[in-house]
């Protein structure tokens, strides 16, 4: 007896349902295992710091920002072209503290901002 299309379709539908159920159970089991593993790892970690271990302000009080005017620091030039600069001969920062610490202010005759339509500095 040859199976009909309906019997084949019914058989594959049942197999698909069983496969989906098995896959769902496998994924659910993996998620439960991952949560339990995370709980176990979390129990092994140290707890939060106690109040006496918390950071404290320095005796001098809170530290404030320092504002200063900077100017570009020139890269040293080799004495002749055959000499090569080594990394330890270069500076760490690309700018240095300026001798003039006056904050630049608006100058009369300047446009005030880019694109304002004014003549700019003339």
């Amino acid at each position: 007896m040859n199976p009909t299309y309906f019997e084949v379709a019914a058989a594959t539908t049942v197999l698909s349902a069983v496969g989906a159920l098995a896959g769902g159970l496998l994924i659910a089991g993996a998620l439960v295992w991952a949560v339990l593993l995370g709980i176990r790892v979390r129990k092994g970690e140290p707890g939060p710091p106690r109040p006496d271990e918390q950071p404290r302000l320095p005796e001098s009080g809170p530290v404030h920002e320092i504002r200063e005017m900077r100017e570009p620091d020139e890269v040293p030039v080799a004495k002749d072209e055959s000499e090569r600069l080594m990394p330890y001969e270069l500076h760490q920062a690309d700018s240095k503290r300026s001798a003039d610490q006056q904050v630049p202010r608006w100058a009369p005759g300047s446009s005030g901002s880019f694109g304002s339509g004014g003549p700019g500095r003339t």
Side-chain angles (χ1 to χ4, degrees), residues 8-122:
V8 172
T12 56
T13 303
V14 170
L15 286 176
S16 297
V18 170
L21 179 67
L25 289 175
L26 181 71
I27 291 173
L31 289 174
V32 168
W33 174 80
V35 168
L36 292 176
L37 178 68
I39 290 172
R40 230 178 297 144
V41 167
R42 186 100 189 247
K43 282 183 181 178
E45 293 177 351
R50 296 186 314 268
D52 60 328
E53 296 175 337
Q54 296 291 333
R56 303 229 184 276
L57 278 176
E59 294 294 326
S60 61
V63 179
H64 300 287
E65 70 178 60
I66 298 173
R67 298 194 72 179
E68 64 182 11
M69 301 303 297
R70 308 282 296 175
E71 65 184 20
D73 194 12
E74 301 297 326
V75 177
V77 180
K79 293 178 183 139
D80 57 16
E81 291 184 17
S82 64
E83 186 180 347
R84 185 176 133 182
L85 289 175
M86 297 313 235
Y88 56 83
E89 296 174 313
L90 299 174
H91 304 292
Q92 287 186 336
D94 59 351
S95 65
K96 61 183 178 182
R97 188 175 196 272
S98 176
D100 180 21
Q101 290 295 309
Q102 291 291 331
V103 179
R105 300 287 181 205
W106 177 78
S110 69
S111 65
S113 67
F114 179 76
S116 66
R121 288 192 179 181
T122 53

